[in-house]
């Protein structure tokens, strides 16, 4: 089970409960927004746990490439939930409170809860950051770039949601502080609206990234170069022509390539050699399936596909 997601679920559940109590006791619009945010995050972690579990199922006859893409489906549900249950509720409540005239109470409770929430959310974020840094280091990538490009939607979601949670806590604290200092609930209401806008932006980014992987996403060029070199380094291979590597799940790829084999073997021998090469590639943990075919000797490597043209 994904430790990062489990830790995020536990932290969000505790924080959501504490924020709800504080929202009732203080009447703060920002605290209501933060409570909605945390309950949305808690529900989303359930989707992410389902995504992680179902995407790990082994390939079968009905799904020869496995169930990896289920991770993007369930992560999409989580992103939509973040938008509906978090962003919409926060913005709506904030707008309603813009014309409110009652003062919030028990500011101390709000600050204490926000402080505890910051510690818990920070712990969850630190775990996600450690995992992202480790993966980014292995592929020589920047942390934020890896968050956007990683094929693991659960890691991206936890990282983004925890980062948004920490930012939202700062916004909420500022809104409550200005409310207390000025006596005007407008600042508190604006804090609620800003938290909602923040959640909406994060949700749209996550929805877009999951959409890209569901449609079909090729690996980055550095990874293509590594795979091409790996295939070309096999003793039976003279050169590699066409090469297609597509993500079919978190850290799982499907490889299609044409190769020029050394020598001029008979048809049956070529078939055996290709199947042997495919089997060797499939020993790699990340390779779900590899399909190799023969290319004409001297054929140039495949050119990059053109950019997609919008439909009329």
């Amino acid at each position: 089970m994904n430790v990062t997601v489990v830790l995020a679920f536990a932290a969000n559940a505790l924080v959501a409960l504490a924020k709800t109590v504080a929202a009732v006791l203080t009447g703060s619009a920002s605290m209501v927004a933060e409570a909605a945010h945390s309950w949305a995050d808690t529900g989303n972690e359930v989707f992410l746990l389902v995504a992680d579990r179902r995407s790990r199922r082994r390939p079968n006859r009905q799904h020869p490439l496995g169930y990896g893409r289920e991770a993007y489906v369930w992560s999409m549900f989580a992103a939509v939930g973040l938008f509906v249950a978090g962003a919409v509720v926060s913005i709506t409540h904030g707008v309603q409170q813009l014309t409110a005239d009652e003062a919030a109470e028990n500011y101390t409770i709000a600050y204490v809860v926000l402080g505890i929430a910051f510690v818990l959310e920070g712990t969850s974020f630190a775990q996600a950051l450690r995992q992202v840094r480790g993966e980014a280091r292995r592929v020589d990538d920047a942390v934020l770039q890896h968050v956007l490009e990683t094929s693991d939607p659960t890691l991206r979601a936890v990282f983004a949601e925890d980062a948004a949670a920490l930012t939202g806590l700062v916004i909420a604290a500022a809104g409550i502080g200005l409310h207390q200092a000025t006596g005007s609930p407008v600042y508190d209401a604006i804090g609620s609206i800003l938290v909602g806008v923040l959640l909406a932006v994060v949700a749209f980014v996550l929805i877009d990234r999951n959409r890209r992987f569901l449609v079909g996403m090729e690996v980055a060029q550095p990874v293509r170069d590594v795979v091409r070199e790996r295939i070309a380094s096999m003793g039976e291979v003279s050169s590699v022509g066409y090469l297609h590597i597509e993500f079919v799940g978190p850290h799982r790829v499907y490889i299609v390539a044409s190769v020029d084999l050394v020598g001029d073997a008979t048809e049956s021998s070529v078939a055996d050699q290709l199947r042997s090469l495919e089997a060797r590639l499939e020993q790699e943990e990340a390779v779900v399936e590899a399909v190799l075919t023969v290319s004409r000797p001297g054929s140039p490597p495949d050119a990059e596909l053109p950019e997609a043209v919008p439909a009329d």
Side-chain angles (χ1 to χ4, degrees), residues 52-295:
D52 184 66
R53 181 181 179 85
R54 293 182 68 88
S55 66
R56 292 176 183 271
R57 290 186 294 171
R58 302 298 302 171
N60 53 36
R61 183 171 298 179
Q62 287 74 31
H63 298 277
L65 297 182
Y67 293 80
R69 283 196 174 100
E70 280 217 42
Y72 306 118
V73 175
W74 291 94
S75 296
M76 182 79 81
F77 291 159
V80 173
L82 180 66
F83 176 75
V84 174
V88 172
V89 171
S90 298
I91 293 174
T92 301
H93 185 72
V95 171
Q96 292 172 346
Q97 291 299 307
L98 282 174
T99 56
D101 54 4
E102 70 273 12
E105 300 177 351
N106 300 314
Y107 293 102
T108 301
I109 293 177
Y111 294 135
V112 169
V113 169
L114 289 175
I116 294 173
F118 197 90
V119 172
L120 292 174
E121 297 283 10
T123 301
S124 175
F125 179 73
Q127 168 62 27
L129 182 59
R130 278 194 296 270
Q131 186 174 345
V132 169
R133 279 179 173 169
E135 292 186 3
R137 192 179 301 113
R138 285 195 293 272
V139 297
D140 194 25
D141 219 350
V143 170
L144 290 180
Q145 183 177 352
H146 186 71
V147 169
L148 290 174
E149 295 181 353
T150 179
S151 61
D152 186 346
T154 59
L155 177 60
R156 176 169 38 250
V158 171
F159 183 94
E161 289 175 6
D162 285 347
L166 293 174
T167 305
L169 289 171
V170 174
I171 294 173
I176 294 172
L178 289 172
H179 186 175
Q180 182 181 13
T182 64
S184 172
V186 170
Y187 296 104
D188 199 6
I190 291 175
S192 177
I193 294 171
L194 290 177
V195 169
V197 171
L198 173 66
L199 297 183
V201 171
V202 171
F204 278 126
V205 170
L206 294 177
I207 289 171
D208 179 67
R209 298 311 300 179
N210 284 302
R211 176 191 62 81
R212 290 170 181 260
F213 280 94
L214 279 172
V215 171
M217 191 84 165
E218 268 229 331
V219 301
Q221 188 60 45
V223 178
R224 286 174 56 83
D225 294 340
V226 170
V227 174
R228 182 179 291 278
E229 292 176 5
R230 169 75 176 87
I231 298 175
S233 68
M234 296 177 172
E236 302 92 329
V237 177
S238 174
S239 64
V240 182
Y242 174 81
L243 178 62
H244 174 80
I245 313 169
E246 182 176 332
F247 283 111
V248 292
H251 308 297
R252 295 290 183 271
V253 296
Y254 174 52
I255 298 175
V256 179
S258 64
V259 296
D260 178 22
L261 297 176
V262 174
D264 192 15
T266 61
E267 183 175 334
S268 60
S269 176
V270 168
D272 290 339
Q273 288 185 62
L274 290 177
R275 186 61 203 123
S276 175
L277 293 171
E278 291 169 353
R280 285 160 60 184
L281 286 173
E282 290 166 359
Q283 289 177 359
E284 303 285 343
E285 183 180 359
V287 179
V288 174
E289 185 173 354
V291 178
L292 301 182
T293 185
V294 177
S295 63

Side-chain angles (χ1 to χ4, degrees), residues 11-36:
N12 284 323
L14 292 173
V15 169
L17 183 60
K19 286 179 180 177
T20 301
V21 174
V24 172
L25 294 177
T26 65
S28 166
S30 293
M31 191 58 73
V32 171
E34 279 298 303

Side-chain angles (χ1 to χ4, degrees), residues 25-50:
L25 294 177
T26 65
S28 166
S30 293
M31 191 58 73
V32 171
E34 279 298 303
H37 177 186
S38 292
W39 282 119
D41 281 352
T42 302
N44 291 345
E45 305 311 330
V46 175
F47 284 124
L48 296 181
L49 287 171
V50 173

